[in-house]
């Protein structure tokens, strides 16, 4: 069994981790496809919006809308990068970081 973060957020806004029987199984392949769509969406967004931005004729409302969309795409791409980094062992698992923070808080309490 393999634990894998997927490119989605729970209702609470936290990352979602699934259990996959295999790192190359159907669940992992579906998660890979979702990640690829998210990255592709960000690439298309940049390609479409860059000429609009360069033209300098956007209204404040249009600029605000593009900013919100850019933020969404950036969050998606960061989630993909973190997920892939975890699988490569490059990015620490956030669950491990939470445990480290809890331990540090305990150490600070002991020092008081």
């Amino acid at each position: 069994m393999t634990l894998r973060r997927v490119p989605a957020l729970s209702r609470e806004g936290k990352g979602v981790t699934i259990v996959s029987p295999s790192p190359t199984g159907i669940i992992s392949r579906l998660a890979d496809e979702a990640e690829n769509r998210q990255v592709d969406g960000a690439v298309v967004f940049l390609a479409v919006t860059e000429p609009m931005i360069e033209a300098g004729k956007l209204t404040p409302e249009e600029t605000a809308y593009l900013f919100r969309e850019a933020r969404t795409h950036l969050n998606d791409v960061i989630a993909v990068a973190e997920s892939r980094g975890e699988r490569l062992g490059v990015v620490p698992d956030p669950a491990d970081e939470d445990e480290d923070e809890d331990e540090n808080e305990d150490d600070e309490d002991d020092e008081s």
Side-chain angles (χ1 to χ4, degrees), residues 6 30 48 53 68 76 85 89 97 105 111:
V6 294
L30 289 171
V48 168
I53 295 166
R68 287 190 301 274
D76 288 347
E97 290 177 9
E105 288 174 7
E111 294 173 6

Side-chain angles (χ1 to χ4, degrees), residues 7 14 27-28 50 55-56 59 63 83 97 103 108:
K14 296 183 179 187
I27 295 172
S28 291
E50 190 168 5
T59 66
T63 302
S83 174
E97 290 177 9
E103 290 174 10
E108 291 172 7

Side-chain angles (χ1 to χ4, degrees), residues 1 13 21 32 37 39 42 46 54 58-60 63-64 70 73 76 81 88 94 102 107 111:
M1 295 292 180
D32 288 340
R37 282 192 304 275
V39 172
L46 286 175
E54 292 298 319
L58 295 171
T59 66
T63 302
H73 286 292
D76 288 347
L88 293 172
D102 292 342
D107 291 343
E111 294 173 6

Side-chain angles (χ1 to χ4, degrees), residues 22-106:
S22 163
T24 57
I26 184 93
I27 295 172
S28 291
R29 287 196 312 269
L30 289 171
D32 288 340
E33 289 173 16
E35 287 179 350
N36 290 337
R37 282 192 304 275
Q38 287 177 311
V39 172
D40 290 345
V43 170
V44 169
F45 175 80
L46 286 175
V48 168
T49 59
E50 190 168 5
M52 294 177 192
I53 295 166
E54 292 298 319
K57 296 180 181 178
L58 295 171
T59 66
E61 294 79 15
E62 291 168 333
T63 302
Y65 174 78
L66 291 181
F67 179 78
R68 287 190 301 274
E69 289 299 306
R71 182 182 58 198
T72 298
H73 286 292
L74 182 57
N75 283 330
D76 288 347
V77 171
I78 289 170
V80 169
E82 288 175 343
S83 174
R84 291 179 179 178
E86 286 172 10
R87 292 196 310 275
L88 293 172
V90 177
V91 175
D93 186 333
D96 293 340
E97 290 177 9
D98 290 342
E99 290 173 11
D100 291 342
E101 288 175 13
D102 292 342
E103 290 174 10
N104 289 338
E105 288 174 7
D106 291 342

